[in-house]
Amino acid sequence: KAEEEELVLTPDGTREFLTFEVPLNDSGSAGLGVSVKGNRSKENHADLGIFVKSIINGGAASKDGRLRVNDQLIAVNGESLLGKTNQDAMETLRRSMSTEGNKRGMIQLIVARRISKCNE
């Protein structure tokens, strides 16, 4: 498959980076339709990023079908969420959904996904 050649792996090789352009135009007020959660390190309580908690039926992500629960959101519409506090990352997500997303009818997401082992 041609798709597999474009995979970008994290340095430890446990996750792949994927870029999705999700059309928003037919999802109405449901928007992207994901709920997200911030993860924190148990040791030092550092923010570890924003992850997809659930995908809401009828939202753009559900219709698009590529986003999955537990995907980590890396960037939205070209704006990185890495290194931001969970709160700032959520704010960035909300902002891009309302303004840029609506203008383009599209939201671009870069996500990191754990690579599932063949035996899972």
Side-chain angles (χ1 to χ4, degrees):
K1 289 184 211 162
E3 287 172 19
E4 289 176 10
E5 291 164 20
E6 290 176 31
L7 286 186
V8 181
L9 299 180
T10 52
D12 60 3
T14 60
R15 296 185 302 168
E16 59 188 7
F17 287 109
L18 305 157
T19 303
F20 303 138
E21 289 269 341
V22 181
L24 295 172
N25 40 15
D26 59 352
S27 62
S29 61
L32 188 59
V34 293
S35 68
V36 293
K37 62 180 186 242
N39 275 6
R40 286 178 186 271
S41 156
K42 288 181 178 48
E43 291 82 45
N44 59 7
H45 301 290
D47 288 340
L48 297 177
I50 300 294
F51 294 80
V52 175
K53 185 165 70 173
S54 63
I55 295 172
I56 297 142
N57 275 339
S62 147
K63 288 183 177 156
D64 182 70
R66 290 175 294 178
L67 201 61
R68 296 191 197 149
V69 170
N70 293 327
D71 280 353
Q72 180 182 0
L73 298 177
I74 300 295
V76 55
N77 290 343
E79 194 172 342
S80 175
L81 302 180
L82 294 178
K84 292 190 178 215
T85 64
N86 290 343
Q87 193 176 352
D88 283 351
M90 303 281 206
E91 194 48 51
T92 301
L93 201 53
R94 265 196 296 275
R95 208 174 43 245
S96 62
M97 287 298 305
S98 57
T99 54
E100 296 158 45
N102 291 347
K103 263 190 288 214
R104 291 176 50 225
M106 222 16 137
I107 188 164
Q108 185 196 59
L109 297 174
I110 299 178
V111 303
R113 176 176 295 162
R114 282 206 166 280
I115 295 173
S116 50
K117 304 287 179 282
C118 297
N119 56 9
E120 282 181 344

